[in-house]
Amino acid sequence: MGNTARRHRVLTRGLDRLLGAVFLLTGLITIDTLYLSGVDLTEWLTGRSLENRPYLVAFLLHLVLGLLLVVPVLLFGALHLRRAWGWRRVNRYAVGAGLALYATALLLLVSGLLLTRFGFFEIDDPAVRTAAWWVHVLTPLAVAWLFVLHRLAGPPLDWRPGLAWGAAAVAVAAVGLVLHLQGAGAAPAGARHFLPALAISPGPIPAERLSGDAACRRCHADIYAQHVHSAHHFSSFTNPVYRFSVEETRRFLKARDGHVRVSRLCAGCHDPVLLFSGRFDDPAFDPDRDPHAGDGITCLACHAITAVNSPRGNGDYRIAPPPEYPFAHSRSAFLRAVSRQLIKARPSLHKRSLMHPVLRSAEFCSVCHKVHLPQALNGYRWLRGQDHYDSFLLS
């Protein structure tokens, strides 16, 4: 009876509700963390890249749940400590374990905040971030252990519901991990060809998936400033020489063949946004009205190239739109800011999907800086066009 009275004085009805909220948020973030940790561990063991959109959504949920936990944990710990402090002589062990638990929980929350890159607060020092990461990984184990010690020092507690919920959390995370591993890393189905350009994609690529250089500018301002004035940027219909040449070619082909598809030969290198979105195949395409007619060779048009098929030129590459971070194209400025926060908080997928090894090779330049005119274009025979790649090899 003394223990019961003591407990009622330490945990009021309001504190019980607050503790329930802490337990609920902790349970959800535990499931989420087990899933994320399982993916990370499998990725480390196999060497495969397993991050995808569901993983990023789960990572965003981890950030949200972590932020939601801050206030309830701080509030409950402070109020509970104030009510329990009077019993420090009655049950010093419980109070000591509780103090250690509260301090470790605060350390867990602070380390999480240090790892989160906000616009107004970012820690970029690698040593600090590495230390914060290890603290954030190890403190949950210490929190669980100290909670058990704290409760063992208090009134008797029925652990069966907690163990049942814990087993359920592990099971849910395991199912999520299995489903993730079944779907992650699968190669895109199909291959769409754009002859006589030799480029191959898994299918049509919406224009917005390869355009939008302004979004890259937010983090890569110096590279954007160089690109926006480059010949690559002005490779499309904003270049009057190119526009005249292509429009004349398309006019001739429409009269000769009844379609303009052979003009894809030019678009494979000069107009990737228009080519892969299907706009370039439209005989009625009007560059004065199409918002993407001046995109040229965008940042993603190169960084989405995953492989060079051969050094023949004529756009002989494979391209696939990189995985999108959640809310990347949202109309809401807030959600777009959330997407940028995700990129900064979890940049590994961004780096892997936009910096394929082929981009560091000389063969990468060969896909467009080497040209031949096929018979489909001139109705005559194969002819060599400009060839900067071979002259580079012989230099």
Side-chain angles (χ1 to χ4, degrees), residues 33 42 82 100 105 133 148-149 151 159 170 206 245 308 321 333 337 347 352 364 373 381 390:
T33 300
T42 307
R82 187 180 68 175
W133 187 85
V148 171
L149 293 181
R151 289 304 296 119
W159 294 93
V170 172
S245 175
V308 172
R352 279 200 302 267
F364 177 71
L373 307 180
R381 66 180 180 86
D390 285 350

Side-chain angles (χ1 to χ4, degrees), residues 13-38:
R13 183 174 298 179
L15 283 178
D16 267 330
R17 292 187 183 131
L18 189 57
L19 182 60
V22 171
F23 280 157
L24 175 62
L25 292 172
T26 301
L28 292 175
I29 202 170
T30 299
I31 296 173
D32 188 70
T33 300
L34 290 173
Y35 162 73
L36 293 173
S37 300

Side-chain angles (χ1 to χ4, degrees), residues 84-96:
W85 189 249
W87 298 101
R88 64 189 183 280
R89 294 183 180 178
V90 178
N91 196 340
R92 291 182 178 181
Y93 189 81
V95 173

Side-chain angles (χ1 to χ4, degrees), residues 157-165:
L157 186 67
D158 185 0
W159 294 93
R160 288 174 297 180
L163 293 174
W165 280 107

Side-chain angles (χ1 to χ4, degrees), residues 361-385:
S361 69
E363 287 80 3
F364 177 71
C365 303
S366 75
V367 296
C368 285
H369 289 276
K370 184 175 180 179
V371 174
H372 63 266
L373 307 180
Q375 185 178 6
L377 178 67
N378 59 28
Y380 173 46
R381 66 180 180 86
W382 185 98
L383 291 173
R384 167 60 67 206

Side-chain angles (χ1 to χ4, degrees), residues 199 232 265-272 297 301-302 305 308 310-317 362-372 386-389:
H232 283 166
L265 177 68
C266 308
C269 287
H270 285 265
D271 292 295
I297 302 172
C302 280
I305 291 176
V308 172
S310 80
R312 287 184 296 170
N314 283 24
D316 196 6
Y317 57 81
E363 287 80 3
F364 177 71
C365 303
S366 75
V367 296
C368 285
H369 289 276
K370 184 175 180 179
V371 174
H372 63 266
Q386 60 88 0
D387 183 1
H388 298 141
Y389 178 67

